[in-house]
Amino acid sequence: MANVPLSIALEHYDRHVPWVEGTVRPKGIDPTVLIVGQDDVGGRRHERMLLHREFDVCELSLGSYVMAKARGAALTAIPVFPRRLFSQSQMYVNTQSGIRGPQDLIGKRVALRSFQTTLSVLAKGDLGSEYGVPLDGVTWVTTSNEPVEFDPPPGVTLERMDRGRRLGDALVEGEVSAFLSPRPPQPYLDGAPEVGRLFDDPRAEEVSYYQRHGFYPIMHVVAMKSEVAEEHPWAPVSLLDGFEQAKRQWSRYMDDPNWSRLTWGRHYLEEERRVLGPDPWPTGVAANRANLERFIRYEVEQGLIPEPLAVEDLFFETTLES
């Protein structure tokens, strides 16, 4: 029987190099791997999958996927999570705004890419549950369109930044006091003294978070068209195995102390393993249940989904024992 051809849209991460090089061999599948980013230039991967179902399989925002799934979208997923971030390193502030800690954000204008961007959901949830910053205590200012429509909770103020306004300028000039972002704002990359991180030692905050909760928060999931999974119910398990193959290959790359351009990359890896254990990137449902349940709770609290989904609702049935 001929292999099933599937298009797979992924970001160009180191962990996806085996897919790009064609050294991953998922049984019964001929993958066409497409490197598709999420920026405005030739990207918008999430929107292309959510709105136009352009790919058979796609690395997708967990936040938008959960929202779409709750609204009956014809998508399913496999328990592979190719992007993760702690929120604490992704909270940037105007250094002239008098913000010295999380509670100083109360009453301020805080920018987000969108209200439902996965990092936005995580950061808002963490600010509330870890640091006592209520969702309705901040004016949230978004800079991008929302991929999935929703109504914000009562009492929550949500504004849209002027479309011609550059976020970096707004942050430097104090129009917004902070920015919660999955990528550093340009003024921070440029070394602008007006922009710094919310936490003086975000790494220590993240280690403490990991020690309390036991996981590295998920940002993205691998989603696929429901009809593809239903027509080929073995394919989700084969794809899961393919990502495990890629993970093993990627892990071997990291054994070379000069595989990364970071001078002390191998030292960083060894320190990470001491602090976070041998694998902060687990696949499978069981190993990620608490991580996913916490995120789903954040989505309910933020009005993005009306009621909690079960973790099992997110994934194709043949992968649930993983």
Side-chain angles (χ1 to χ4, degrees), residues 82 100 166 180 182 186-187 234 289 313:
R100 298 293 179 265
R166 295 200 306 176
L180 314 181
Q186 191 60 47
W234 51 269
R289 181 174 294 277
D313 294 337

Coordinates of all heavy atoms in Angstrom, one line a residue, residues 82 100 166 180 182 186-187 234 289 313:
P82 N 6.1 21.5 20.4 CA 7.4 21.9 19.9 C 7.9 23.3 20.4 O 9.0 23.7 20.1 CB 7.2 21.9 18.4 CG 5.7 22.1 18.2 CD 5.0 21.5 19.3
R100 N 8.3 48.1 39.8 CA 9.4 47.3 40.5 C 9.1 45.9 40.7 O 9.9 45.1 41.1 CB 9.7 48.0 41.8 CG 10.2 49.4 41.7 CD 11.6 49.5 41.1 NE 12.0 50.9 40.9 CZ 11.8 51.6 39.8 NH1 11.2 51.1 38.7 NH2 12.3 52.8 39.7
R166 N 3.7 52.0 16.3 CA 4.7 50.9 16.5 C 4.8 50.6 18.0 O 4.9 51.6 18.9 CB 6.0 51.3 16.0 CG 6.1 51.5 14.5 CD 7.5 51.4 13.9 NE 8.4 52.3 14.6 CZ 9.7 52.4 14.3 NH1 10.2 51.6 13.4 NH2 10.4 53.3 14.9
L180 N 3.8 41.9 27.4 CA 4.0 40.5 27.6 C 4.1 39.8 26.2 O 3.1 39.9 25.5 CB 2.8 39.9 28.4 CG 2.4 40.7 29.6 CD1 1.2 40.1 30.3 CD2 3.5 40.9 30.6
P182 N 5.9 36.8 23.4 CA 6.7 35.5 23.2 C 8.1 35.8 22.6 O 9.0 34.9 22.6 CB 5.9 34.7 22.3 CG 5.0 35.7 21.5 CD 4.7 36.8 22.5
Q186 N 11.6 45.0 20.0 CA 12.8 45.5 19.3 C 13.6 46.5 20.1 O 14.8 46.4 20.1 CB 12.4 46.2 18.0 CG 13.6 46.5 17.1 CD 14.3 45.2 16.7 OE1 13.7 44.2 16.3 NE2 15.6 45.3 16.8
P187 N 13.0 47.4 20.9 CA 13.9 48.3 21.7 C 14.7 47.6 22.7 O 15.8 48.0 23.0 CB 12.9 49.2 22.4 CG 11.7 49.2 21.5 CD 11.6 47.8 21.0
W234 N -4.3 5.4 12.1 CA -2.9 5.0 12.5 C -1.9 6.2 12.3 O -0.9 6.2 12.9 CB -2.4 3.8 11.6 CG -2.6 4.1 10.2 CD1 -3.7 3.7 9.4 CD2 -1.7 4.8 9.3 NE1 -3.5 4.2 8.1 CE2 -2.3 4.8 8.0 CE3 -0.5 5.4 9.5 CZ2 -1.7 5.5 6.9 CZ3 0.2 6.0 8.4 CH2 -0.5 6.0 7.1
R289 N -0.3 16.3 31.4 CA -1.6 16.5 31.9 C -1.8 17.7 32.8 O -2.6 18.6 32.5 CB -2.2 15.3 32.6 CG -3.6 15.4 33.1 CD -4.1 14.1 33.7 NE -4.3 13.1 32.6 CZ -5.3 13.0 31.8 NH1 -6.3 13.9 31.9 NH2 -5.3 12.0 30.9
D313 N -10.1 15.6 25.3 CA -10.8 16.2 24.2 C -9.9 16.8 23.1 O -10.3 17.1 22.0 CB -11.7 17.3 24.7 CG -12.9 16.7 25.5 OD1 -13.2 15.5 25.4 OD2 -13.4 17.5 26.3

